[in-house]
Amino acid sequence: MPELPEVETVRRDLEKYLVGKKIKDITIKPDFLNKISPNKEEFVSLLQGKKLIDVDRVGKLLILDFGLNKKLLVHLKMTGQFVFVPPRGRIIQSGHPVEQTRSAPDKYNKASFNFGKNGVLYFNDMRKFGYLKVVSNKSAEVERARYGVEPIQSAFTLKKFNELLEKRPNMEIKKFLLMQNFISGIGNIYVDEACFATSIMGDRKIRTLSEPERKKLYQSIKKIIKKAVEMRGTSVNTYVDGSGQKGNYVKYLKVYSRVGKKCLRCKKATIKKMKVAGRGTSYCPACQK
DNA sequence: GTGTTTGTTATCAA
DNA sequence: CTTGATAACAAACA
């Protein structure tokens, strides 16, 4: 599912392909009208003919600037995809042309941003949890302020992490890490990976975490998120980057999506699954305490 | 038909 | 106020 590394990859792709390009027209599928804001007519008239100036991101939220006194907020939620298709259907990645691995628009296409001779940007969303909202700059700032520090920012220090942990001593660590107002960008995949790397169970109450465990958890979060950004995200289900390619962090996953398989660390126990914070949680019953 | 998948928010209960 | 549990949103898949 799109978490910080996936959304950051999409952000970079859109920035690379589309900044400076002008939207010629926009189409919205009828079954997605209630996820467009303010409404289709205003949405289209506000963005049509506008040039993309900047692509920003906070947590898992994309913020597109078209030089207006408004911003376009895009959340992919669970199955949203932003896929850019250049005129000739090929894309340059790391200096080399690569073929699209996925036809776009696909079956679940919900919106299309036609950039004329520069190509088309498709928004697909199987489960329709995502949204496209044009809001005032002021509202965009209010929205942005709801997000906490990101694991890849320099402001995310061990001291900061410890201070945040102290605010919720009785909360389960997994639930805390999933809350976007404390630390933003972590989702179900990376939270399980971070807990595994720290050898702690996701349902541990924060107050029971020792000093060394807190430090290890902090380091694990940073390391895992950074590596995942480097690998262009994780494609377990529907995630693809801004050119329709899958993310490469899958081969680095240690617990997530490994239920029933041998633990890669102790090589004895089998990865199990339980519910923590209402979410499916993969863990090694032998390694994680 | 049932349970599971998950980002986020709302609602309820203790 | 804090915390956890559950449902809701929607669609696919086993």
Side-chain angles (χ1 to χ4, degrees), chain A residues 253-264 270-272 282:
Chain A
L253 294 177
K254 297 279 198 297
V255 269
Y256 189 88
S257 81
R258 295 200 70 256
V259 179
K261 296 179 180 171
K262 281 271 173 291
C263 172
L264 294 171
T270 303
I271 302 301
K272 294 262 183 312
S282 313

Side-chain angles (χ1 to χ4, degrees), chain A residues 28-34 40 110 128:
Chain A
I28 311 288
K29 291 290 168 68
D31 67 341
F32 204 66
L33 290 177
N34 59 340
K40 185 186 173 186
K110 299 301 164 195
K128 297 190 285 189

Side-chain angles (χ1 to χ4, degrees), chain A residues 40-145:
Chain A
K40 185 186 173 186
E41 290 67 34
E42 279 194 66
F43 184 88
V44 171
S45 76
L46 278 166
L47 299 178
Q48 210 161 39
K50 302 300 188 302
K51 190 189 285 183
L52 181 60
I53 303 294
D54 183 56
V55 187
D56 201 359
R57 175 192 60 74
V58 57
K60 306 168 193 173
L61 182 70
L62 287 166
I63 304 172
L64 281 67
D65 183 359
F66 288 91
L68 308 167
N69 56 356
K70 299 178 191 305
K71 297 277 192 291
L72 170 60
L73 306 184
V74 180
H75 205 303
L76 305 176
K77 289 289 180 89
M78 313 213 354
T79 58
Q81 302 174 328
F82 243 154
V83 181
F84 172 65
V85 177
R88 263 169 269 148
R90 302 192 111 214
I91 217 109
I92 304 296
Q93 197 177 85
S94 313
H96 303 285
V98 292
E99 294 294 337
Q100 295 277 154
T101 53
R102 192 186 179 85
S103 59
D106 72 5
K107 190 178 167 186
Y108 303 109
N109 174 253
K110 299 301 164 195
S112 307
F113 297 84
N114 182 2
F115 284 79
K117 64 173 170 45
N118 295 305
V120 185
L121 176 64
Y122 295 99
F123 181 83
N124 309 324
D125 192 354
M126 182 175 79
R127 290 170 66 179
K128 297 190 285 189
F129 278 14
Y131 61 74
L132 303 169
K133 288 200 293 198
V134 176
V135 304
S136 68
N137 282 346
K138 197 178 166 189
S139 300
E141 285 315 306
V142 169
E143 189 72 14
R144 190 192 287 276

